[in-house]
Amino acid sequence: MARTGRRPGPSGTREAILEAARRAFAQNGYERTTIRGVAAAAAVDPALVHHYFGSKQNLFVAAVRLPVNPTEPLRALLADGGLTGERMVATFLSIWDGAPDRSPLMALVRSAISDEQAAAMLREFITTEIFGLLVRELDSPDAMLRVNLVASQI
């Protein structure tokens, strides 16, 4: 049986996990990619993926090199009280304009425009992690419609 866990010598484990995650997200999309699958492809224990990244969401953010995890400012916005479309757009624009290096974000958007696989991966992440968070927080029977309307303006 192959040994899993910490590699002997200089550790390239984090980079191996990220490379395996990039391949998995590109090939399978966000929803069908699993921590176990990424760990197997990187030849490490799944606990090590959790150690480095904590969650699939954080792994995705690191793998696609986003300048910030977009759910963190949204969680702060929600904790601040009152979720409005105007505040959501302002938060998005502050993330976009405030990123020290927008090239990973621009590359992801450009890929989504020209490559259906990249578009599907980005769409799945946004729908599952960002819209899902907002829909859960809105106490409204038409929450998904409201979130989609605001998102269409962005």
Side-chain angles (χ1 to χ4, degrees):
M1 180 174 194
R3 182 173 182 253
T4 60
R6 181 161 164 67
R7 297 168 191 257
S11 178
T13 303
R14 188 175 195 283
E15 292 74 25
I17 292 169
L18 284 172
E19 187 55 39
R22 287 185 192 107
R23 285 192 311 271
F25 285 125
Q27 191 172 41
N28 305 324
Y30 181 79
E31 290 197 9
R32 289 185 314 226
T33 296
T34 65
I35 295 285
R36 286 185 181 277
V38 169
V44 298
D45 190 276
L48 212 46
V49 179
H50 285 287
H51 169 74
Y52 281 109
F53 302 99
S55 68
K56 181 169 121 174
Q57 180 186 85
N58 291 338
L59 177 61
F60 178 83
V61 168
V64 298
R65 298 179 182 103
L66 291 179
V68 65
N69 184 338
T71 61
E72 291 171 7
L74 286 175
R75 287 184 195 283
L77 182 66
L78 292 166
D80 211 16
L83 178 66
T84 65
E86 183 179 351
R87 290 181 74 195
M88 281 178 55
V89 172
T91 299
F92 172 80
L93 292 175
S94 72
I95 293 168
W96 184 266
D97 290 339
D101 179 14
R102 276 190 276 178
S103 54
L105 198 51
M106 293 296 290
L108 184 59
V109 170
R110 285 189 181 118
S111 298
I113 291 170
S114 61
D115 180 15
E116 181 52 39
Q117 203 171 27
M121 178 180 63
L122 183 59
R123 202 170 35 247
E124 288 173 7
F125 175 76
I126 290 170
T127 302
T128 303
E129 300 298 338
I130 298 172
F131 288 4
L133 169 67
L134 296 172
V135 167
R136 286 188 300 274
E137 292 296 322
L138 286 176
D139 189 23
S140 171
D142 60 350
M144 184 55 107
L145 174 63
R146 289 171 179 258
V147 169
N148 279 312
L149 288 172
V150 171
S152 72
Q153 298 305 302
I154 295 174

